Amino acid sequence: MNLVKKYGPILGIMGGIILFFLFFIVVLNYVGLINQSTLAVLKISLTVLCFFTGGLIVGKRSNKKGWLEGLKISGIIILLFIIVNLLFIHSFHLKYFLYYIILIYSSILGSIIGINKKQEWLFNSCFF
């Protein structure tokens, strides 16, 4: 239950941001304002930025070992991604593995930056 309190809001924020912006980007693609290659780049960039932001929030809330907190939060989400991927796509390619590694590194980097900048953000925080 303690883990749900700790990681639940962060997972909700990350999931909500990803779903909202992916819906917006897909609508732009459907209308014809962006093409397929731009859509792919925007989806990857948005997900990496979202993982970085989630890692930043987790790092800011942790007391030590920010890299481990970033690894935990990204591991939870990557595990969910793999389960959904195996349920609906039924295959696993090398490009998915590389994508997941990039997401894990972005979350770890965000949490390292978050824990190092924690003292500066204590009084002027915009997250939590």
Side-chain angles (χ1 to χ4, degrees):
M1 189 66 175
N2 195 14
L3 289 175
V4 174
K5 287 181 183 178
K6 185 175 182 179
Y7 295 123
I10 297 165
L11 292 173
I13 289 171
M14 290 173 66
I17 290 171
I18 288 173
L19 288 176
F20 175 75
F21 283 111
L22 283 181
F23 176 75
F24 182 70
I25 291 169
V26 168
V27 167
L28 288 177
N29 182 38
Y30 182 73
V31 173
L33 297 175
I34 57 175
N35 58 11
Q36 291 291 332
S37 61
T38 308
L39 177 70
V41 169
L42 285 175
K43 286 192 307 187
I44 292 171
S45 302
L46 172 71
T47 310
V48 167
L49 183 66
C50 207
F51 268 70
F52 180 81
T53 305
L56 193 72
I57 295 170
V58 168
K60 193 183 83 156
R61 298 172 105 197
S62 66
N63 294 326
K64 56 183 178 178
K65 295 185 182 178
W67 64 271
L68 186 60
E69 294 295 324
L71 185 64
K72 285 180 193 176
I73 194 74
S74 63
I76 292 169
I77 298 173
I78 296 296
L79 183 64
L80 292 173
F81 280 1
I82 289 173
I83 290 170
V84 169
N85 187 13
L86 291 176
L87 286 176
F88 293 112
I89 298 175
H90 304 294
S91 65
F92 192 80
H93 300 288
L94 181 62
K95 64 181 179 179
Y96 297 133
F97 181 72
L98 294 174
Y99 176 63
Y100 295 149
I101 294 295
I102 291 170
L103 293 179
I104 288 170
Y105 280 139
S106 68
S107 178
I108 290 173
L109 180 66
S111 64
I112 290 172
I113 291 172
I115 201 163
N116 286 330
K117 298 292 183 177
K118 188 162 109 171
Q119 284 74 27
E120 296 175 16
W121 293 346
L122 280 178
F123 297 109
N124 56 359
S125 175
C126 61
F127 298 113
F128 299 100

